[in-house]
Amino acid sequence: MFAALKSIGAYVPKKVLTNKDFEKMVDTSDEWIKKRTGIEKRHIAADNESTSDLAAKACEAAIVRSGLDKSQIDALICATISPDYLCMPSTACLVADKIGIKNIPSFDISAACSGFVYALAIAKSFIESKMFKNVLIVGAEKLSSIVDYTDRTTCVLFGDGAGAAVISSTDKKEEAIIDVKISSDGTYQDFLITPGCGSKNPCSKEVLENRLNYIKMKGNETFKLAVKTLTNDVLEIMKENNLSSEDIDYFIPHQANYRIIEAVRSKMNFPKEKTVLTVAKYGNTSAASIPMAMNDWYESGKLKKGDLMLLDTFGGGLTWGSALVHFAGENL
Ligand code: ACO
């Protein structure tokens, strides 16, 4: 029994914030943002849209494309760092309710930008252990709710969105998710952190006044570690599976910064035209970034049944992960 990625879906909120918009908000420029990150714009959820709303729309799209009935979904995993509620209920439970599924296990996981790849690893294990047949995974973020729009070093980087996939059992090896590797190192916990409003620094007037409820990032340190870790990670997963760059159809990395992606791509000696890039139009959408990029590629008609994708991600924790995944869905 193998696990296979049967379908992909995404939701992108309508409102757009361009780099020019940020020039009116903080001391920055379109030129700086484009040169240092590759980002040109990002989508922002409406005030009345929460993470579960974005996730539910992405899930609906993925279920329709899987050809399954909702009643066939056995479990739902939501990866997010911007849940609807800080403690409970989980965003996954809200998503299940919104899409009309009940009496299945639904839970959130927290692995920052690596959340989708972590969810993929869990879904694969559920299926290979024969516990479930169809697992719905979704990476969804309303990062605009935890971004400090007075801090130019972080606010220009992030956007909102959601991407979902149905992972199903198959007996066809050529459809299988070949491998998923996930890891972490808490030594670097302060590189990317939202210090306030958790049990360590509960929400208080002081926490809010010091803006500790927002994302803080040691950008440059994170950048250097991201390039090193991601490069080692992709080379390792290919080696362990006896694959080379020529065997991979598409490289779908986490979309945090064009320069990080470019550095890893060139170290892999992988063709530019087979590297999926959405950072310019979506910015960094954390756990939603990889499935949103995959969905873009699918909707552009380039991702076909049987294609082998290499996924690679890095985020707060620090966490990271990579995966070798066949696309087992139907061609669009
Ligand atoms: N506009 C203009 N200037 C800026 C801006 C801005 N928006 N932001 C920072 N600067 C300034 C800094 O203040 C600094 O000025 P100084 O030299 O006078 O001190 C200068 O630009 C250079 O700053 P650096 O931080 O060294 O710039 P760098 O080239 O490293 O780019 C960036 C910053 C884009 C954040 C980059 O470091 C990066 O992408 N880091 C990694 C992000 C990432 O991968 N995160 C992981 C996933 S996110 C998650 O898990 C949620």
Side-chain angles (χ1 to χ4, degrees):
M1 188 61 70
F2 303 103
L5 191 145
K6 287 294 282 181
S7 66
I8 185 81
Y11 174 72
V12 184
K14 287 198 176 52
K15 185 178 165 189
V16 171
L17 268 184
T18 64
N19 291 350
K20 287 274 173 207
D21 293 326
F22 278 97
E23 289 180 355
K24 295 172 214 145
M25 295 156 67
V26 287
D27 180 15
T28 193
S29 65
D30 175 41
E31 193 200 349
W32 189 97
I33 302 169
K34 273 206 286 228
K35 197 168 155 209
R36 297 291 182 121
T37 71
I39 300 168
E40 292 172 18
K41 57 186 181 139
R42 65 290 289 144
H43 290 252
I44 303 294
D47 290 344
N48 63 355
E49 272 179 322
S50 60
T51 298
S52 68
D53 293 310
L54 313 183
K57 286 180 177 144
C59 286
E60 294 272 13
I63 293 171
V64 168
R65 286 174 179 165
S66 73
L68 294 174
D69 187 81
K70 280 176 188 172
S71 62
Q72 292 172 279
I73 301 293
D74 300 312
L76 196 166
I77 308 169
C78 178
T80 186
I81 52 164
S82 48
D84 281 27
Y85 302 108
L86 194 57
C87 308
M88 57 185 169
S90 72
T91 302
C93 284
L94 306 174
V95 175
D97 180 52
K98 280 179 181 157
I99 63 177
I101 298 180
K102 56 173 86 175
N103 302 325
I104 61 161
S106 304
F107 58 94
D108 289 358
I109 56 161
S110 171
C113 299
S114 310
F116 184 79
V117 175
Y118 268 59
L120 191 67
I122 299 167
K124 180 175 182 282
S125 308
F126 275 153
I127 288 165
E128 287 174 350
S129 67
K130 300 196 174 83
M131 190 164 171
F132 298 126
K133 281 195 169 138
N134 301 299
V135 181
L136 178 59
I137 63 173
V138 58
E141 303 286 8
K142 185 178 178 177
L143 294 177
S144 57
S145 65
I146 51 168
V147 162
D148 183 350
Y149 285 99
T150 65
D151 174 10
R152 71 172 181 172
T153 67
T154 53
C155 69
V156 300
L157 305 174
F158 298 104
D160 299 337
V166 173
I167 314 299
S168 296
S169 61
T170 179
D171 54 7
K172 298 189 184 88
K173 201 174 176 194
E174 67 278 11
E175 290 188 348
I177 297 170
I178 298 175
D179 197 7
V180 186
K181 285 167 67 79
I182 49 176
S183 196
S184 71
D185 185 351
T187 317
Y188 304 103
Q189 59 194 269
D190 60 340
F191 276 29
L192 269 150
I193 188 164
T194 311
C197 292
S199 62
K200 175 100 174 162
N201 299 305
C203 244
S204 66
K205 195 164 168 268
E206 196 190 343
V207 162
L208 296 178
E209 273 170 6
N210 290 317
R211 310 184 80 76
L212 299 180
N213 52 318
Y214 294 121
I215 297 175
K216 317 278 175 208
M217 178 167 70
K218 291 188 178 172
N220 200 263
E221 291 90 329
T222 307
F223 184 98
K224 288 181 202 149
L225 213 53
V227 172
K228 198 170 140 211
T229 310
L230 289 169
T231 306
N232 290 342
D233 216 29
V234 285
L235 295 177
E236 215 170 276
I237 198 170
M238 285 196 292
K239 194 173 167 208
E240 281 176 15
N241 290 282
N242 295 316
L243 294 169
S244 69
S245 290
E246 289 90 67
D247 300 310
I248 313 288
D249 293 299
Y250 297 117
F251 177 40
I252 310 188
H254 172 48
Q255 309 283 320
N257 186 314
Y258 174 70
R259 289 186 296 138
I260 296 177
I261 297 171
E262 220 5 58
V264 178
R265 183 199 68 75
S266 69
K267 292 219 166 89
M268 276 166 67
N269 203 13
F270 194 77
K272 223 173 189 169
E273 63 280 6
K274 290 179 156 197
T275 302
V276 179
L277 284 171
T278 52
V279 66
K281 60 181 189 175
Y282 299 144
N284 181 351
T285 58
S286 188
S289 134
I290 285 181
M292 285 171 77
M294 196 188 292
N295 184 71
D296 256 45
W297 213 238
Y298 178 66
E299 290 189 349
S300 72
K302 292 186 190 110
L303 185 61
K304 301 282 187 204
K305 190 172 186 137
D307 283 345
L308 182 58
M309 302 176 277
L310 171 60
L311 316 182
D312 198 18
T313 189
F314 185 87
L318 294 173
T319 56
W320 60 92
S322 55
L324 286 162
V325 182
H326 284 112
F327 183 66
E330 295 309 317
N331 294 344
L332 199 68

